[in-house]
Amino acid sequence: SQTIHQWPATLVQPVGSPLSLECTVEGTSNPNLYWYRQAAGRGLQLLFYSVGIGQISSEVPQNLSASRPQDRQFILSSKKLLLSDSGFYLCAHNGQTGNTIYFGEGSWLTVV
Amino acid sequence: GESVGLHLPTLSVQEGDNSIINCAYSNSASDYFIWYKQESGKGPQFIIDIRSNMDKRQGQRVTVLLNKTVKHLSLQIAATQPGDSAVYFCAEVNSGTYKYIFGTGTRLKVLA
């Protein structure tokens, strides 16, 4: 079966500090991978998606970047965090069928 | 497009009643639609999906209706239970792009 792991689960970082959130998927190969952000009590915003190693599509110009160094690894980064980067970050993959995406448990980021 | 930055609308339903959650999607080229349930502090979970060549699909206690003419999707939950309390999101995708766009989300509150 396919599983998706995200870490860390919670993170409190000062403004201007770097960020690295990691996501790995098991039980599938060559998945499409996604990063979404959700502000408290709000909807899901697509940040990045990747259809293969080294292939990253950015949906919203911002202070964040993504990388896919391995087939089942997706990393969300920032060199200098802003207060507005606070939120709930969700990684997702499209599994074996490719029709539905499945989410990880999310990473809470608070920038102070 | 993406409905981000909007506070979630709330639907309050008496336990045992039926719930209807609505969603308007934006892209007429979308050919696959999914409903997700998100409990507090967790990632969204798949509920039910429907392809654009269908107008209705039923699952266990849930039914999804699709009206492509007006680009409207609805989720019906029969005999709503306290465990149904959550935020519900619809997602649309053009399967040629694998880019999943989420609606605003609706918070469902089940009243005892």
Side-chain angles (χ1 to χ4, degrees), chain A residues 38-44, chain B residues 3-11 38 86-89 103-109:
Chain A
Q38 187 176 30
R42 297 182 185 238
L44 293 161
Chain B
S3 299
V4 295
L6 300 175
H7 287 287
L8 299 174
T10 299
L11 174 66
Q38 186 180 27
V87 176
Y88 290 82
F89 291 98
T104 308
T106 298
R107 186 180 304 280
L108 177 64
K109 287 187 177 179

Side-chain angles (χ1 to χ4, degrees), chain A residues 32 34 36 38 41-46 49 59-60 88 90 94 98-106 108, chain B residues 2-8 32 34 36 38 41-44 46 49 51 89 97-102 104 107:
Chain A
N32 292 341
Y34 303 82
Y36 283 84
Q38 187 176 30
R42 297 182 185 238
L44 293 161
Q45 179 184 32
L46 177 61
Y49 69 99
E59 289 300 301
V60 182
F88 190 43
L90 290 155
N94 70 324
N99 293 324
T100 300
I101 58 171
Y102 301 91
F103 288 87
E105 286 303 305
W108 284 101
Chain B
E2 296 181 50
S3 299
V4 295
L6 300 175
H7 287 287
L8 299 174
Y32 182 67
I34 315 165
Y36 287 88
Q38 186 180 27
K42 297 185 178 180
F46 170 86
D49 57 2
R51 294 198 173 278
F89 291 98
T97 68
Y98 288 114
K99 192 168 117 177
Y100 296 76
I101 302 300
F102 283 77
T104 308
R107 186 180 304 280

